[in-house]
Amino acid sequence: MTAQNSSAEELARAEAVCADRGLALTPVRRRVLELLLEANAPVKAYDLLAALKPGGGAQPPTVYRALDFLTAAGLAHRVEALNAYTACVHAHETGGAELYICESCGGVAETHVHGACHEAPEGFKVARSVIEHYGKCGDCRKAG
Amino acid sequence: MTAQNSSAEELARAEAVCADRGLALTPVRRRVLELLLEANAPVKAYDLLAALKPGGGAQPPTVYRALDFLTAAGLAHRVEALNAYTACVHAHETGGAELYICESCGGVAETHVHGACHEAPEGFKVARSVIEHYGKCGDCRKAG
DNA sequence: ACCCGTTATGTTATACTATTGCGATACTCT
DNA sequence: AGAGTATCGCAATAGTATAACATAACGGGT
Ligand SMILES: [Zn+2]
Ligand SMILES: [Zn+2]
Ligand SMILES: [Zn+2]
Ligand SMILES: [Zn+2]
């Protein structure tokens, strides 16, 4: 996929978002977000865990708690069909994220969910949508 | 959710589908599909496993292989965000399934994916979409 | 300074989900 | 019969996630 903002910029934006909302972007959480931003593909929890403390000190709950915080804060998304996580680069205020994931390069693009075009059954009230599209991005298709 | 077809009917339809396409709906596969049809909510693999052989004889690969077969044949769907599986009651020829899952009663309704209303990034070719909506169905909303 | 409520982290163990690999069996097609 | 294929049984293991409890760190009120 094409050049997104630098991790540093995104990290600064996250700082600002947390400050605004009285959320604590602690060192672990910040570091996990940094790892997500540096990766150019969704990252697995145990890979984050390994990257967090090369010495092997960190335990699963550490990274899962950080991920819970980041996803709750809208700074990251869980990719359900991959059991993986990706930094949010879209700042969706309203509605959820809709992800386009390239199966060749792992790149993730985001849009907002268009509530309108999903025809819910009579009376069904949607609270939350999981929308993930898998395929091949433009760059990878050109590259063959 | 409201009355769907009986399991027996659906099972007969599955038999027909498999016969048409030269697929073998073996006893294990058939039994797993039957369990999915009888349930009125997505079912977890290990619950199927437990139900398959009350004696405890069946092993994980048995049920996962059956589920792989059923999903590949379009007779069942995996619910990604729940790590669970549900029988397909829609017979979607083209495109994938879009699921509406009630978080109160577990009921699942299906529609087809509307490719048109998802604005993919320039050049991105979607191969497969995972679309799951979570909320509350009409019946559960009335019931309070 | 002290106490206390709250939030965040560390630590251990365990639960839950899924796959790999191999051997036995059964069925089809020469 | 023999070769090839598909399915299944079985044992072990890999991968994902949480429970439960202890500790630490911060901030406000006294
Ligand atoms: Zn996002
Ligand atoms: Zn790509
Ligand atoms: Zn379906
Ligand atoms: Zn319901």
Side-chain angles (χ1 to χ4, degrees), chain A residues 74 77 87-92 97 99 110:
Chain A
H77 300 296
C88 175
V89 293
H90 198 113
H92 352 228
L99 305 179
E110 299 185 29

Side-chain angles (χ1 to χ4, degrees), chain A residues 5-135:
Chain A
N5 295 346
S6 78
S7 329
E9 268 175 60
E10 289 291 342
L11 213 49
R13 184 175 68 83
E15 296 270 19
V17 167
C18 289
D20 271 6
R21 296 195 255 163
L23 302 175
L25 189 60
T26 63
V28 229
R29 294 166 177 176
R30 190 189 152 97
R31 180 74 186 116
V32 169
L33 178 56
E34 200 172 7
L35 288 167
L36 290 178
L37 285 165
E38 284 165 3
N40 39 13
V43 189
K44 303 248 176 190
Y46 275 68
D47 291 343
L48 289 170
L49 186 50
L52 254 190
K53 295 207 184 169
Q59 298 301 313
T62 300
V63 65
Y64 281 106
R65 285 193 280 229
L67 289 168
D68 285 349
F69 171 86
L70 294 172
T71 53
L75 298 171
H77 300 296
R78 173 174 162 82
V79 185
E80 294 290 349
L82 298 179
N83 292 337
Y85 303 84
T86 189
C88 175
V89 293
H90 198 113
H92 352 228
E93 298 308 328
T94 166
E98 181 161 344
L99 305 179
Y100 290 86
I101 298 149
C102 176
E103 291 178 312
S104 295
C105 69
V108 179
E110 299 185 29
T111 66
H112 296 287
V113 172
H114 271 73
C117 63
H118 299 281
E119 191 92 12
E122 183 63 30
F124 194 104
K125 177 86 180 302
V126 173
R128 176 176 65 93
S129 294
V130 172
I131 306 190
E132 300 170 4
H133 303 280
Y134 293 85

Side-chain angles (χ1 to χ4, degrees), chain B residues 26 28-29 53 61-62 65:
Chain B
T26 64
V28 225
R29 293 167 178 174
K53 295 207 185 170
T62 300
R65 285 192 281 229

Side-chain angles (χ1 to χ4, degrees), chain A residues 1 102-107 136-140:
Chain A
M1 320 289 267
C102 176
E103 291 178 312
S104 295
C105 69
K136 206 164 187 179
C137 75
D139 292 355
C140 288

